[in-house]
Amino acid sequence: MQAHSTSAVPLFGWRHVHVPALIAYGALLLLVIWQFRYLPFADFNEWTYQAFITRTLLDGTGSAVFYLREYPVPYVTSQAVMTALNFLTDPVTAGRWTVTLYLAAAAVVARRFVVANRLRPELAYPALLVGIVCNSSFWSGYLNYQCGLLVLMAYLSIPSAQRRQPWVVCLVSLAAFACHGFCLLAFGVMAGMQALIGSWRERLAFAAAMLPAAALTLWYLLAKSNDAMPALHAPVSHGDLRFLAYKFYTLSKAGPYQNFMIGDRTDLNRWPVLFWLGCLANLVISVLLLVWQYRALRRPAAEADDLQALRWAAISLGLACLVAPATAMQIVNPGERLLYPQLLLVFVLCLRQTGSPSEAGGRSLPGLGAVAVLMVSLASLVSLVVATEREGYQAVRPDVFGQAQQGYTERFYWHRPYQFLAMQDHMMARYAGHQRPDMPITFTTSLIGMMPTDPPITRPTP
């Protein structure tokens, strides 16, 4: 069988016209990571603070306000990496290195994913950058979840025969657990479908291999405490007529446009043309993703068993996305957490090369469309840089989130990049003064627990 190799085509030929846009996006993103005073990744700055707390608890200098939990937690990957780096450098630099290491790992895994599955690079790389690596969840600061997506990509890059090995299933399931519970769930569906099309022996081996991760998950669910985390409000009611529109909006968030809110201003206030073109681009991408979903899920049954298993896994995850409520288990939009693993399967099924590289090279229109998608993504990043330079690092008012539930247009695809400014300032002041951190944490689904205090400790607003 003839091997497919991207080296047969010049680097900057029609099939590789996306490469300069990818390089420009990566270079500007690294500039933002290393030059901005505050990392613009919303919730990630809270995890940076929690990693600093973890380091102080491990070295004995921590506050009595916090403690390490005594049960396994499936949201620890980035926190563990940053905690280790906190022993080598300051907390903010540890956060910068953690995001940089994530991007480096994503580049390696993405290349392996494309080559192993023989995907069309001119479409696959832009799709992976926009829809997986630097997607909406990345800009919301969900780095643990993003690491879980890399685990799933790495798993799907392994030959089918190896994916069925019990030791592989066991190791990958434990890695997925350490990243995010929904990544573990998605992996269980992927690997479980492969076991179902095999023999009874394979099914029993799969069940046995999943036991350690299942036991840790059960332990966590029985032991966890959400402390004083405030109740979440669902954007729309489950079963409401607006629910389908909400699901379509969720799919469109896999598009290239991100709307960064600084202070009380979004792109609609700053650059209306960019806002409307960005929203249009996301809507176009959502339609394209629906077309890819249809093409991927209607493939004929006369094909390899591993592709059939991936198709059934994609169908299962897609249905779960559709029926998942707007909030569940202190998680906003759990359907979105299942969407991105499902899109990985759609990419595998739909973007496979069917001819030789030279034959595929003539199809320039899809490649140019992918470049357009990258340019919208790059424009969003440029908007963040320019707006930050002009307006400074401004957090969003505390009441903005409640108002957003009313569905204001300017908050389509919004992110609040600097919502934890006070937390980072507190962290760096305590680090510089060798003092114990005591600002309350927001997210209590981590390794860190918080003792009740009298009177309660309050967090200063930015």
Side-chain angles (χ1 to χ4, degrees):
M1 182 174 64
Q2 182 180 359
H4 291 268
S5 172
T6 57
S7 61
V9 181
L11 182 60
F12 294 102
W14 279 113
R15 297 180 65 237
H16 296 274
V17 72
H18 62 282
V19 172
L22 286 171
I23 293 175
Y25 186 91
L28 184 57
L29 182 54
L30 288 175
L31 182 67
V32 167
I33 292 170
W34 287 97
Q35 294 301 317
F36 275 26
R37 178 181 176 185
Y38 299 94
L39 289 170
F41 304 124
D43 291 3
F44 179 70
N45 291 297
E46 158 91 13
W47 297 113
T48 303
Y49 176 57
Q50 292 206 26
F52 172 60
I53 295 173
T54 306
R55 194 270 292 172
T56 64
L57 292 174
L58 292 176
D59 67 12
T61 63
S63 169
V65 174
F66 304 106
Y67 63 92
L68 290 174
R69 300 193 186 279
E70 298 178 347
Y71 55 83
V73 178
Y75 307 97
V76 298
T77 301
S78 68
Q79 189 177 359
V81 172
M82 277 189 289
T83 298
L85 291 171
N86 262 266
F87 285 97
L88 304 175
T89 185
D90 67 86
V92 173
T93 302
R96 299 185 198 279
W97 272 115
T98 301
V99 180
T100 303
L101 290 173
Y102 161 77
L103 294 174
V108 173
V109 174
R111 184 181 185 281
R112 177 61 184 165
F113 180 78
V114 172
V115 173
N117 292 289
R118 297 191 295 108
L119 306 185
R120 295 175 58 186
E122 74 276 15
L123 297 180
Y125 284 119
L128 289 174
L129 175 71
V130 170
I132 303 297
V133 176
C134 294
N135 58 13
S136 177
S137 294
F138 170 77
W139 287 106
S140 293
Y142 308 154
L143 200 65
N144 285 315
Y145 173 74
Q146 294 299 117
C147 291
L149 292 181
L150 296 191
V151 170
L152 297 179
M153 286 175 63
Y155 170 74
L156 292 172
S157 303
I158 301 173
S160 176
Q162 294 183 19
R163 289 203 298 262
R164 299 171 184 267
Q165 295 296 321
W167 67 271
V168 172
V169 172
C170 183
L171 289 180
V172 175
S173 65
L174 291 173
F177 172 85
C179 295
H180 201 280
F182 278 93
C183 292
L184 174 61
L185 175 60
F187 169 73
V189 173
M190 294 178 187
M193 286 299 175
Q194 286 210 335
L196 283 176
I197 66 174
S199 64
W200 280 104
R201 179 176 296 180
E202 289 180 297
R203 297 168 196 171
L204 291 175
F206 164 77
M210 290 292 294
L211 279 178
L216 292 176
T217 303
L218 181 61
W219 186 359
Y220 168 73
L221 292 175
L222 293 176
K224 77 182 184 74
S225 168
N226 284 321
D227 295 336
M229 186 171 179
L232 301 174
H233 299 285
V236 291
S237 300
H238 192 275
D240 191 289
L241 289 177
R242 297 174 299 166
F243 194 70
L244 287 179
Y246 179 68
K247 291 298 180 179
F248 184 77
Y249 172 75
T250 298
L251 179 65
S252 69
K253 288 174 67 179
Y257 176 64
Q258 313 295 338
N259 181 18
F260 298 101
M261 189 173 200
I262 299 177
D264 59 354
R265 292 166 59 84
T266 67
D267 281 343
L268 183 60
N269 311 114
R270 295 186 293 256
W271 299 287
V273 173
L274 173 61
F275 175 82
W276 291 114
L277 287 178
C279 290
L280 178 61
N282 281 5
L283 291 176
V284 171
I285 289 302
S286 63
V287 174
L288 176 62
L289 290 176
L290 287 175
V291 173
W292 284 3
Q293 296 266 359
Y294 174 75
R295 289 179 55 193
L297 302 183
R298 67 181 292 270
R299 289 285 182 87
E303 62 182 358
D305 287 347
D306 61 317
L307 293 181
Q308 290 189 46
L310 295 183
R311 177 170 299 103
W312 281 111
I315 293 173
S316 301
L317 291 174
L319 291 175
C321 293
L322 285 176
V323 302
T327 60
M329 298 177 64
Q330 296 281 358
I331 295 177
V332 176
N333 200 356
E336 185 178 14
R337 304 301 195 280
L338 296 175
L339 171 65
Y340 295 115
Q342 198 259 0
L343 288 180
L344 283 176
L345 298 174
V346 170
F347 296 159
V348 172
L349 294 168
C350 194
L351 300 184
R352 300 175 73 84
Q353 299 185 66
T354 56
S356 67
S358 60
E359 292 171 350
R363 296 175 290 186
S364 59
L365 185 58
L368 292 176
V371 172
V373 168
L374 289 175
M375 295 307 295
V376 173
S377 184
L378 183 60
S380 294
L381 185 52
V382 171
S383 170
L384 170 66
V385 174
V386 175
T388 300
E389 288 296 320
R390 288 182 178 179
E391 302 170 24
Y393 303 96
Q394 296 185 50
V396 178
R397 299 190 316 271
D399 62 336
V400 166
F401 185 75
Q403 295 177 2
Q405 307 308 310
Q406 302 175 25
Y408 292 121
T409 303
E410 63 267 23
R411 297 185 179 102
F412 282 164
Y413 311 111
W414 74 321
H415 298 281
R416 297 164 290 164
Y418 306 121
Q419 65 175 330
F420 289 118
L421 301 185
M423 185 168 283
Q424 178 170 319
D425 290 341
H426 170 84
M427 174 179 69
M428 292 307 294
R430 293 306 172 96
Y431 171 80
H434 303 285
Q435 297 175 305
R436 297 175 175 180
D438 59 10
M439 181 179 288
I441 60 176
T442 306
F443 308 121
T444 57
T445 54
S446 73
L447 284 173
I448 302 297
M450 191 167 55
M451 296 288 190
T453 59
D454 187 22
I457 301 175
T458 58
R459 180 185 300 108
T461 56

